[in-house]
Amino acid sequence: MFETSLLENKRILVTGGGSGLGAAMGRRFLALSAELVICGRKLDRLEATAREMRDETGGKVTAIGAPASTASSPISPASWSRTAPPTSMTRWW
């Protein structure tokens, strides 16, 4: 339905990307040539899922383990300025 290069040169952050719907969406984004950052609470699960995704697609996947429930968390939108992601995440943007 979509061209496989639809998301080429795009980076997508998926919270809860270690399993379930988040992982399924991540796989679809990779199939459309996106670079993927998955994050969630369980780093071991995220790293395993990222490894599987890289093996399946050859795509670029980065895993970040951090709770999003606190304002100081690097993946919490509450910690971001209105114009840029937090400093700890700029290497992915």
Side-chain angles (χ1 to χ4, degrees):
M1 176 185 264
F2 296 110
E3 291 184 32
T4 58
S5 62
L6 180 69
L7 298 175
E8 192 170 16
N9 299 317
K10 304 291 183 195
R11 291 181 193 98
I12 298 179
L13 171 67
V14 177
T15 58
S19 63
L21 186 57
M25 290 187 309
R27 284 182 170 87
R28 182 64 179 139
F29 294 141
L30 286 168
L32 296 173
S33 301
E35 291 182 23
L36 185 64
V37 178
I38 58 174
C39 59
R41 294 174 292 145
K42 299 178 181 176
L43 184 57
D44 56 336
R45 177 182 285 177
L46 292 165
E47 289 175 338
T49 301
R51 193 171 28 258
E52 290 170 10
M53 290 175 168
R54 284 190 292 269
D55 290 347
E56 292 168 5
T57 67
K60 183 177 179 183
V61 185
T62 303
I64 301 174
S69 59
T70 61
S72 62
S73 170
I75 63 170
S76 171
S79 71
W80 299 12
S81 74
R82 292 177 93 48
T83 59
T87 304
S88 62
M89 294 194 56
T90 55
R91 69 180 186 190
W92 292 290
W93 260 259

